[in-house]
Amino acid sequence: MSTILSINNKLLSFRGRMSIGDENGAQLYDAAGQFALFNPTWTLRKRNQQIATVKRKLWPFWSLMWDIHSSIGDFQVKRKLFSWTRTYYVIGGKYDGAITKGNFWDLKFSVTHQNKAIASAKGKILSLRDTHSIEVHDDESDSEVFTTIMMVVLQLDRRDESNNSE
């Protein structure tokens, strides 16, 4: 049985905050950014218990990288700078080799590991919030946490890119 999640990211927010809920609208996860001048740290919580921290590495030359410390292990997420679509690669941890790949318009994403689909996501075109509906295909609880972390990284990357283009 698959799980349906929804991630909401306020587009115009001074202090970063994202909420991840289930199909009924109940909040399951909360991601909040801590203010820092150059390198903010994001904390992902489930029921007020910290399950992950996400921190972007500064000054990458050919790729963007994030360090993740989580309840499912520590790993890095990498994305090439010059690419038509967003493709993220996981290095280390339980999901080493996992790939999150988006389409050209950043509305659809898929998360795969060892040629197995873990999750897929669809975004809404017009809304006041940047919203993605995520279907987690794998029943393992670690897959839900991993997918949530990947969607937070994706949202942070999109937010950073839109802030830099202004």
Side-chain angles (χ1 to χ4, degrees), residues 56-114:
R56 184 172 166 207
K57 283 189 167 189
L58 285 179
W59 318 121
F61 293 107
W62 298 105
S63 64
L64 297 173
M65 291 190 84
W66 292 265
D67 284 326
I68 288 86
H69 302 285
S70 71
S71 60
I72 59 171
D74 298 343
F75 56 94
Q76 292 183 326
V77 176
K78 179 179 175 182
R79 178 176 83 93
K80 291 181 182 177
L81 281 175
F82 305 107
S83 175
W84 291 101
T85 62
R86 292 181 195 271
T87 304
Y88 301 86
Y89 304 94
V90 175
I91 302 166
K94 179 178 179 179
Y95 290 95
D96 185 37
I99 297 172
T100 301
K101 192 170 195 169
N103 70 351
F104 186 73
W105 292 280
D106 285 344
L107 291 175
K108 293 183 180 180
F109 291 90
S110 63
V111 181
T112 58
H113 181 244
Q114 298 176 347

Side-chain angles (χ1 to χ4, degrees), residues 4-139:
I4 306 291
L5 301 173
S6 177
I7 185 167
N8 295 313
N9 184 8
K10 290 183 181 178
L11 293 175
L12 300 172
S13 162
F14 177 70
R15 184 169 166 244
R17 187 168 220 84
M18 289 178 241
S19 62
I20 298 103
D22 63 8
E23 65 266 15
N24 300 323
Q27 184 174 340
L28 297 176
Y29 300 92
D30 180 54
Q34 299 167 354
F35 181 75
L37 190 57
F38 294 109
N39 200 9
T41 300
W42 282 73
T43 304
L44 181 63
R45 298 181 183 277
K46 183 175 185 177
R47 296 184 194 103
N48 292 328
Q49 180 181 356
Q50 182 175 325
I51 59 169
T53 58
V54 177
K55 191 171 196 173
R56 184 172 166 207
K57 283 189 167 189
L58 285 179
W59 318 121
F61 293 107
W62 298 105
S63 64
L64 297 173
M65 291 190 84
W66 292 265
D67 284 326
I68 288 86
H69 302 285
S70 71
S71 60
I72 59 171
D74 298 343
F75 56 94
Q76 292 183 326
V77 176
K78 179 179 175 182
R79 178 176 83 93
K80 291 181 182 177
L81 281 175
F82 305 107
S83 175
W84 291 101
T85 62
R86 292 181 195 271
T87 304
Y88 301 86
Y89 304 94
V90 175
I91 302 166
K94 179 178 179 179
Y95 290 95
D96 185 37
I99 297 172
T100 301
K101 192 170 195 169
N103 70 351
F104 186 73
W105 292 280
D106 285 344
L107 291 175
K108 293 183 180 180
F109 291 90
S110 63
V111 181
T112 58
H113 181 244
Q114 298 176 347
N115 296 325
K116 178 183 172 190
I118 296 175
S120 56
K122 290 189 298 186
K124 292 184 180 176
I125 295 175
L126 297 173
S127 84
L128 294 175
R129 294 176 178 238
D130 191 6
T131 304
H132 278 81
S133 178
I134 307 154
E135 184 176 357
V136 181
H137 306 294
D138 197 355
D139 290 335

